[in-house]
Amino acid sequence: MTAFLIADIKVTDDKWVPDYAASVHDLVHKHGGKYLSRSGNVKTLEGTPLDTSLIAIMAFPTAKAAESFVTDPAYVGYAAARRDGSESRFQLIDDTDLAGTIPYLVKG
């Protein structure tokens, strides 16, 4: 079952960004993932805007693959630098439909 990792990040100190941006996608790919978006063009269409600098959306073949990326020893230093220079939230969702009314998604 496909899993999506959504990273919601407010950059507070951008020293970590160039190295992270240049390197972390290789670790995502190592775990079977790919970026669907990594954008700072965040526009709130409804509700109170979050104080977000960028949102990244990655797709992985399974939740386990996404979790393996996040816990990969090669990622530890990048994650620490990101946490030191940002307020970050990583959320993992699958490709199910909680209501079960969308025919091309598995009922969740």
Side-chain angles (χ1 to χ4, degrees):
M1 179 175 301
T2 303
F4 301 95
L5 179 59
I6 303 168
D8 180 343
I9 299 171
K10 175 187 172 185
V11 176
T12 56
D13 180 350
D14 65 0
K15 287 185 285 191
W16 62 276
V17 173
D19 193 35
Y20 191 100
S23 304
V24 169
H25 63 90
D26 288 333
L27 293 171
V28 169
H29 296 159
K30 172 184 169 185
H31 294 279
K34 68 177 181 177
Y35 278 91
L36 302 178
S37 179
R38 184 171 69 181
S39 179
N41 298 319
V42 179
K43 181 179 181 181
T44 300
L45 300 179
E46 184 175 325
T48 304
L50 298 174
D51 196 8
T52 298
S53 304
L54 69 96
I55 296 176
I57 303 171
M58 294 154 270
F60 289 86
T62 64
K64 185 176 179 177
E67 291 166 0
S68 292
F69 155 66
V70 173
T71 60
D72 187 318
Y75 180 62
V76 170
Y78 295 109
R82 175 186 42 80
R83 284 192 293 271
D84 287 345
S86 74
E87 295 172 18
S88 303
R89 176 180 23 244
F90 276 29
Q91 298 184 83
L92 186 63
I93 62 171
D94 59 24
D95 60 350
T96 61
D97 172 26
L98 184 61
T101 59
I102 300 173
Y104 54 86
L105 294 176
V106 175
K107 183 175 180 176

